[in-house]
Structures are given as structure tokens and as C-alpha cells.
Amino acid sequence: MDAVLRAGCCRRVSGGDPLPDIRRTRVIRKGRIIPVDLNAVILRGDQRQNIVLKDGDQVIVPGEPRGSLTVVGEIRQPGRYKIEGRTQLLDVILLAGGHRDAADLTQVKIFRGGQTILVNLAQVLFQGDARQNIVIRDGDQIVVPSLPAERQRK
């Protein structure tokens, strides 16, 4: 893990830089491929995945996976996330750590291709309106805006 961090692979992604898929890291040792899940090292402290590198080893950290999106704004952990299968908006918000208190959940925007989709996530959370919990697609950009100052808790 130290070698990957020193190489600058796992910095916060911004400005369109490719997102490393650290779950699919591979070490090539004397022609043999060793799969390594660096996500398990970071999130669970699984030291079995934190292998000791030997002279001549090659470490491959794949770039941005298919099925990724960006979440920004009043979110606890803004950034790029990988999605798999059928993923809905609320799943992504939870994946990103949930919303902050200053989030305007009635004005969530999803930028998809050339269009903007306005979603009232408050209706999903507080009224159970499943129609507002739309399916997210590869490449979507989700923006959770701030409440106007007069509506924010003090």
C-alpha cells in the first residue's frame, strides 16, 4: 500500500483525473499475477491484502472503472464513485456518507449528457416517494446544493 500511496495513486480525485480502481490492483511477480484489494486495506485494515513488494515486482492500479459518477455539494464525502448494477439516487447519497445539514434536498440536480434532471430527494426521504429516487447512470454528475442562508439551521 505504501508504494501505491507514494506514487500518488490514491489522492482525492478532482478536475477529471482518472479515478484509480484500487479494488482491482494487481502485482506482477516473475510472470505471476497476484490480485490485491487495496480498498480492503484502507477500509477494513486487512493486512493480508497489503503484500510486501519484492525487487522486480510491478504494481498495476487500473484507471477509472466503467460505471462511475461524481457527487458534489452538501455531501459528507464528495467525490467519484463506482456504481454497479441498478443503482438509485438514494444509494449514491448513502455511499457518499449522506447529506450535510445545510443540504437543500428539494433541489438536487443530476447532470446527464446535455440535460439537467431536478430531483426532490426530500420527498424520497420524508414521504416515501419512490418516483423521485431515480436510477443513476454511468457518467452522471450529482449536485446537492446548499439551503439558502435564511433556511439554514443556526
Side-chain angles (χ1 to χ4, degrees), residues 16-132:
D17 295 336
L19 174 67
D21 187 2
I22 61 174
R23 289 183 178 104
R24 298 185 311 127
T25 300
R26 301 286 182 259
V27 174
I28 300 175
R29 178 177 289 159
K30 295 183 181 177
R32 192 172 136 236
I33 298 173
I34 304 168
V36 179
D37 181 356
L38 292 179
N39 197 55
V41 176
I42 294 169
L43 295 180
R44 297 190 305 272
D46 184 351
Q47 292 304 306
R48 294 172 299 169
Q49 297 291 320
N50 195 8
I51 68 171
V52 176
L53 295 176
K54 296 182 179 178
D55 191 33
D57 283 353
Q58 294 178 354
V59 179
I60 299 172
V61 182
E64 183 173 28
R66 292 188 187 269
S68 65
L69 56 85
T70 305
V71 186
V72 297
E74 292 297 329
I75 289 294
R76 296 196 190 286
Q77 298 170 12
R80 275 198 202 150
Y81 290 89
K82 180 179 178 184
I83 57 171
E84 295 176 351
R86 186 175 191 273
T87 305
Q88 292 177 281
L89 178 59
L90 187 54
D91 300 321
V92 173
I93 299 299
L94 294 174
L95 182 66
H99 63 84
R100 296 178 190 260
D101 290 341
D104 186 350
L105 299 176
T106 66
Q107 298 293 317
V108 175
K109 293 177 181 73
I110 299 171
F111 296 97
R112 179 177 291 162
Q115 73 180 75
T116 302
I117 303 167
L118 184 62
V119 178
N120 186 337
L121 191 57
Q123 288 183 341
V124 176
L125 293 170
F126 305 119
Q127 298 171 1
D129 183 356
R131 293 173 300 159
Q132 294 288 319

